[in-house]
Amino acid sequence: MDDDLMVSDATSSLPVTYADVRSAAERVSGVAHRTPVATSRTVDRQTDAQVFFKCENLQRIGAFKFRGAYNAMSRLQPDQKERGVITYSSGNHAQAIALSGQLLGIETVIVMPENAPRVKLDATRGYGAEIVTYDPDETVREDLGQRLADDRGLTLIPPYDHEHVVAGQGTVADELFEQVGLLDVLLVCVGGGGLLSGCAIAAKHHAPDCQVIGVEPDAADDAARSFHSGTLHSVHNPDTVADGARTPHLGEVTFPLVRAHADDIVTVSDEDIIRAMHLVWQRMKLIIEPTGALAASALLNGTVAGNGRRIGVILSGGNVDLQRAAELFRRIGKGTETT
Ligand SMILES: *Cc1c(COP(=O)(O)O)cnc(C)c1O
């Protein structure tokens, strides 16, 4: 990718390097928010650690996905920009592509299931994207996406399995290290592994001894099994509250990067995810979505021990409707509290 930097370590044959993360940081600078880092004495006491929460729930479109989408779209060739971009997603990546298209003057087409939540359809359309809906019982979204891409000459930008997307997501950890200095541990949620890949690359640059740990739901433990076995495992339609982690498997780009740079991947229960989400809402006054609570839950439930260490936790996103959050809190018996 960027060939202006010579890298000679053993990982130099991998498709994304720290130089790519730095280059992405320059691209998104002044466009993406430099999100704040939150701390909480209550959490520090409870976990016996010094915890730094990177607030990507406060990023544009409410999740880190804006960084990768913008980095990738800003690097397209002029003729690709002219023809436009397509993606399939009903989640945060759709909005990230739509907003990046609006900012860069690139037309965007988003393939979404017709039963996607109205708010998501409206938000994505609000950024000027063209929405193409499909019946999920009749149509395979990848096929429809590919057909539209071929017919209209659109460039497909997937949500995680793409070098420029990974490099963009890595700017989250790059910024966190700039903001707080060295960390002993960095906790990152895992769906398709774009965020974990990029953040692990940045973390190992800033602090080679930092333990980078991915966190995924018990019911969607494909990345943990793939990481530990060295062969790619899939889980289809996993039943978990963390909808951003329902991806079937790591990607061709992300799997080798995660294997090379992450130290471990652990799993947590849905109940622990909701408990972590509740604590962050209530104690820290930060609205995070279930997937945004994944990394925090591994620390708060004791899977990762504090041991007096400096621990970074990425709060990856905040897009959850309040009705849904209230429902989840009731599930763990926190629905009727009046604080
Ligand atoms: C997409 C997403 C994830 C998972 O990211 P990957 O790069 O697919 O691993 C986690 N949290 C939120 C809020 C997301 O939108």
Side-chain angles (χ1 to χ4, degrees):
M1 291 171 59
D2 282 9
D3 49 13
D4 54 354
L5 192 109
M6 300 285 269
V7 187
S8 59
D9 56 80
T11 55
S12 61
S13 62
L14 288 165
V16 186
T17 66
Y18 181 67
D20 300 314
V21 175
R22 274 315 307 164
S23 176
E26 277 159 35
R27 287 277 163 156
V28 305
S29 167
V31 188
H33 294 315
R34 193 175 169 85
T35 53
V37 176
T39 56
S40 156
R41 286 175 201 202
T42 306
V43 170
D44 286 359
R45 238 188 340 262
Q46 266 186 28
T47 57
D48 180 31
Q50 208 180 340
V51 189
F52 302 92
F53 292 94
K54 180 66 169 160
C55 297
E56 286 298 297
N57 59 317
L58 303 177
Q59 186 51 266
R60 294 182 83 167
I61 70 103
F64 70 89
K65 289 276 194 333
F66 177 67
R67 297 172 182 264
Y70 188 88
N71 185 48
M73 286 175 70
S74 74
R75 289 173 193 275
L76 293 174
Q77 299 301 316
D79 61 309
Q80 292 177 304
K81 287 182 174 164
E82 189 70 38
R83 288 196 300 267
V85 163
I86 187 167
T87 199
Y88 35 76
S89 160
S90 49
N92 294 329
H93 180 65
Q95 290 179 58
I97 290 286
L99 174 59
S100 300
Q102 186 181 59
L103 295 171
L104 292 161
I106 300 173
E107 279 183 32
T108 53
V109 178
I110 316 287
V111 176
M112 278 190 174
E114 62 193 11
N115 59 0
R118 176 101 255 144
V119 286
K120 292 221 161 137
L121 289 167
D122 289 347
T124 309
R125 206 175 272 125
Y127 293 122
E130 177 190 343
I131 313 280
V132 176
T133 56
Y134 65 96
D135 176 351
D137 294 329
E138 300 270 304
T139 309
V140 179
R141 66 178 195 171
E142 284 80 3
D143 296 346
L144 176 60
Q146 194 57 57
R147 201 176 70 229
L148 285 166
D150 293 345
D151 288 354
R152 295 166 59 172
L154 305 167
T155 302
L156 176 73
I157 299 187
Y160 56 86
D161 208 22
H162 187 292
E163 287 88 346
H164 296 154
V165 171
V166 167
Q169 319 307 32
T171 64
V172 175
D174 197 44
E175 244 174 60
L176 177 59
F177 278 91
E178 283 174 7
Q179 289 167 308
V180 306
L182 291 181
L183 293 170
D184 301 306
V185 179
L186 179 65
L187 297 173
V188 186
C189 54
V190 189
L195 183 65
L196 178 60
S197 297
C199 286
I201 291 166
K204 296 294 170 173
H205 171 85
H206 287 280
D209 293 333
C210 177
Q211 285 235 306
V212 180
I213 302 176
V215 185
E216 69 178 348
D218 284 336
D221 66 345
D222 56 282
R225 286 193 283 138
S226 304
F227 177 79
H228 292 293
S229 70
T231 48
L232 194 64
H233 289 265
S234 310
V235 176
H236 287 280
N237 280 324
D239 181 16
T240 169
V241 292
D243 51 313
R246 282 187 200 137
T247 45
H249 50 70
L250 297 171
E252 273 173 48
V253 173
T254 58
F255 183 35
L257 287 169
V258 166
R259 285 274 292 174
H261 298 292
D263 294 283
D264 199 1
I265 298 184
V266 299
T267 66
V268 292
S269 70
D270 270 14
E271 180 169 336
D272 285 338
I273 294 169
I274 302 168
R275 285 189 186 287
M277 180 176 158
H278 185 264
L279 183 128
V280 171
W281 277 55
Q282 192 177 45
R283 288 285 171 174
M284 305 182 66
K285 320 302 173 197
L286 289 168
I287 292 182
I288 56 171
E289 62 187 271
T291 318
L294 257 177
S297 67
L299 179 64
L300 293 166
N301 78 359
T303 299
V304 172
N307 291 340
R309 295 182 294 179
R310 291 168 59 84
I311 300 185
V313 172
I314 296 173
L315 301 177
S316 58
N319 292 322
V320 57
D321 70 46
L322 301 185
Q323 202 78 36
R324 167 85 175 140
E327 232 173 76
L328 294 176
F329 294 153
R330 268 196 300 277
R331 248 199 236 181
I332 57 161
K334 303 275 190 188
T336 52
E337 258 174 358
T338 52
T339 47

